[in-house]
Amino acid sequence: MDLRWGLALLFNAVLLGVTGFALVRGGLPERIGAMVNLVASLATTVLRLIDPQFYAPAQTVVLGIDLAVAAAFYWLALKTIRFWPIWASGFALANIVASVTAPLLPRTPLLAYHSGLGIYAYLALGALFLGTWHMPRDASPALRNGFRSQQPPIDP
């Protein structure tokens, strides 16, 4: 088996494991984050299977997907009481910077470029996993919801 296929299968196994864990055990922010990861990964994979041009750095459609992921994690970081979206949005932003700057280094092999993007994807999944792991099993409905608008006011 080709190394690229092995890496892709490993990533998909981790993606399905972490997102499945977040969907089953996480609160609303973790479930939203899991769906963002799943939909973005599926969209990118389908595009790349249809046409290999989508493997190129800074490819417009894939970059648009990456921007949507960064925006979704940033929105979660602003609107929820969770720590993990802050990290996930940072890793998504690093992914975008790597995609945009990769064409400036034309001799960089695609495997190195995609391995770098994979590292940021694994880190974002790791943040989601840790955020889900820290959710108590007996969490209150307000904690499960996790959005700031649902939190009781703090008495000074």
Side-chain angles (χ1 to χ4, degrees):
M1 179 185 329
D2 189 294
L3 176 65
R4 292 173 293 182
W5 280 103
L7 292 173
L9 290 175
L10 175 65
F11 177 76
N12 286 335
V14 171
L15 173 73
L16 292 175
V18 170
T19 56
F21 178 62
L23 288 170
V24 170
R25 182 143 181 264
L28 183 58
E30 289 77 25
R31 290 179 180 155
I32 293 170
M35 292 308 298
V36 166
N37 277 310
L38 281 173
V39 169
S41 182
L42 179 65
T44 304
T45 300
V46 166
L47 285 172
R48 289 178 175 167
L49 289 174
I50 291 172
D51 190 347
Q53 78 163 342
F54 292 107
Y55 279 101
Q59 207 292 326
T60 309
V61 178
V62 175
L63 189 58
I65 293 170
D66 292 343
L67 286 168
V69 168
F73 287 142
Y74 181 72
W75 176 79
L76 280 172
L78 288 177
K79 298 294 183 181
T80 68
I81 59 171
R82 305 292 203 261
F83 74 91
W84 70 265
I86 298 167
W87 289 94
S89 63
F91 296 134
L93 184 60
N95 190 344
I96 291 167
V97 169
S99 292
V100 170
T101 58
L104 301 174
L105 305 167
R107 294 181 184 242
T108 303
L110 273 180
L111 180 62
Y113 162 70
H114 285 284
S115 297
L117 295 183
I119 290 169
Y120 294 126
Y122 278 115
L123 291 171
L125 286 171
L128 174 60
F129 177 81
L130 288 175
T132 305
W133 184 265
H134 283 278
M135 170 66 66
R137 289 187 186 269
D138 61 345
S140 68
L143 185 58
R144 287 211 168 274
N145 178 291
F147 280 84
R148 293 183 192 280
S149 62
Q150 299 295 320
Q151 299 306 308
I154 298 174
D155 201 19

